[in-house]
Amino acid sequence: MKISQITVFLENRAGQLAEITAELDANNINMRAINIAETAEYGLARIIAEDSEKAVQILKDKGFAAMLTDVVAIGVPHRAGGLNDILQIIAAAGIDIEYMYSLIGEQDGIAYMVFRTKDADALQKELADKGIF
Amino acid sequence: MERYYQKEIETMPREEIKKLQSEKLVKQVKHAWDNVPYYRAKMEAVNVTPDDIRGIEDLHKLPFITKDDLRECYPYGMLARPLKDVVRIQSTSGTTGRRVVKFYTQDDIDIWEENCARAIVAAGGTEEDVVQVCYGYGLFTGGAGLHGGAHKVGAMTLPMSSGNTDRQLQFMEDLQTTILACTPSYAAYLTEQIVERGLKDKIHLKAGIFGAEAWSEEMRHDMEDTLGFKAYDIYGLTELGGPGVSFECKEQNGMHINEDHFLAEIIDPNTLEQLPNGTYGELVFTALSDSAFPLIRYRTRDVCILNDEPCSCGRTHIRMGKLKGRSDDMLIVKGVNVFPSQIETVLIDKGYKANYQIVVDRQKHSDTIDVMVEMTPENFSDNLGEIEKKEKELVAALKAMLGILVKVHLVAPKSIERSEGKAVRVIDKRKI
Ligand SMILES: [Zn+2]
């Protein structure tokens, strides 16, 4: 499933992430996943939220550097080799993954992973063709 | 064949220029002593009288005039001629506290316009040309200076003043303007508009004379390549009459200072000692001909270099290089002169905001320079690698500009402190 991810620039100082989550919370925006990537100097918070358009506007208005990116969320069966099967399909299709992370929570033994590629539609189609959603 | 507006003076042997400058300096100091009590008091304070000044070799004995002095003397304190001899003023657009009013006799205006005429001829201007002046007219010196210069050359002058781009382009096309005189930023805008409106084939420009603002070689090349003309720099200060203090020739490698009217020095802004030609320092001018407003050793705060090597155009007058920055802003880091304006140029070029902060410090007897840079949508990405790549490009560009390594820190938008709405650009912890 193609979804919209919010990316926010984080300065390397205590409390930056909490400022972002407080802002979303104050506006009743439910976060489904958060992933942090960082260097020694700064970082990125990648957030999957319910109303990403609204969320990114709120953050921008508050002076954060924030943007939306299309990513693909895929259900990974909670069994040995579940993720491997998916990665093999992506590799065979020659699709390059820039980064990936897991969504909070699982349903009926299925964990959700978020994949970022150059072309979210192509990845979604490739996996759908193999019955993976 | 190189053409000159005043060949004899513009190609005068250097020894003769120096002799002429010495004669004029002696007279000018006497004139100021006799007619400007404020400057006389400054001379008395350092125990110098006109008798001590026998030529340019004695220049260093004279006190400086600064912008603060002009403020102190506002409005009439520096006026050296009775009002009946004064025919005009021009002024800077600065706020009241910083406003400079420059007075002219008719002779002062003629000399000013001749200086501008020299610049126009050096850019290839003749009486056959159509000169479109879109510097502002009015109190600003840009319009009046180039307008008068174009008249002196005998060119047809279009007194357009600034703004109204539709009309500018209409006249440029209909009257087949050959020389454009305006600020470089407006020239760049006009160039863009000419391309956008598909007018390139209808424009007949051969030269542009652009001053009153700093501009880069890239801007010059962009405009020249796009429109197929030559873009020349011109320099001046309202305090010294306006544009035409110096101007570029076809070499486009430094601006010839009109040395028969302006005596230039380069000083160390800290020690105030004169520096040899070929050394960066603060530019100081003595107006040798200005009668109504005779500024002696006026500190411009502009930092540049003087070059007295012969020029292929045949002009013997010394050349000044592009301005490097303001001496008030100059930082010396690891022995290298660094100007915030240089850092600003790189930041804007790389798509970052001009809102930045420079922190200079000293650690283990070695200087450090850090620049805080606000993240912009243009440079933001959801991919850390992309951000790091752009950051490295910025560091490399700063190194190329300054010659020293600068540590860059990316920070959140609008996070850099501002005092009274203006960012505190430089924090020098070495002085605290
Ligand atoms: Zn020359």
Side-chain angles (χ1 to χ4, degrees), chain B residues 75-94:
Chain B
Y76 285 126
M78 280 286 173
L79 184 60
R81 294 284 295 266
L83 273 187
K84 72 175 174 63
D85 296 339
V86 177
V87 297
R88 201 197 304 164
I89 67 146
Q90 301 284 158
S91 179
T92 57
S93 54

Side-chain angles (χ1 to χ4, degrees), chain A residues 11 41-42 46 98-99 116, chain B residues 382-383 391 409 412 415:
Chain A
E11 279 181 30
E41 285 276 322
Y42 50 86
R46 299 176 184 128
E98 292 183 20
Y99 55 82
R116 162 72 159 120
Chain B
D382 65 314
N383 189 329
E391 189 188 5
H409 303 273
S415 65

Side-chain angles (χ1 to χ4, degrees), chain B residues 2 248-252 254 256 311-315 319:
Chain B
E2 183 72 25
E248 273 184 339
C249 63
K250 63 179 183 185
E251 281 293 309
Q252 296 177 311
H256 288 286
C311 184
S312 75
C313 75
R315 288 178 184 79
R319 281 173 286 170

Side-chain angles (χ1 to χ4, degrees), chain B residues 270-333:
Chain B
N270 299 311
T271 66
L272 306 182
E273 296 292 326
Q274 286 178 334
L275 295 172
N277 290 341
T279 315
Y280 274 103
E282 183 180 328
L283 188 57
V284 173
F285 277 114
T286 297
L288 295 172
S289 305
D290 284 350
S291 179
F293 202 65
L295 293 191
I296 293 167
R297 301 198 88 194
Y298 181 64
R299 293 186 59 182
T300 64
R301 306 283 169 183
D302 288 328
V303 172
C304 75
I305 202 163
L306 293 180
N307 173 7
D308 60 4
E309 284 165 27
C311 184
S312 75
C313 75
R315 288 178 184 79
T316 49
H317 294 208
I318 202 167
R319 281 173 286 170
M320 55 182 271
K322 270 224 182 295
L323 304 183
K324 219 177 171 187
R326 305 281 298 165
S327 64
D328 318 77
D329 301 336
M330 188 172 84
L331 291 162
I332 300 176
V333 182

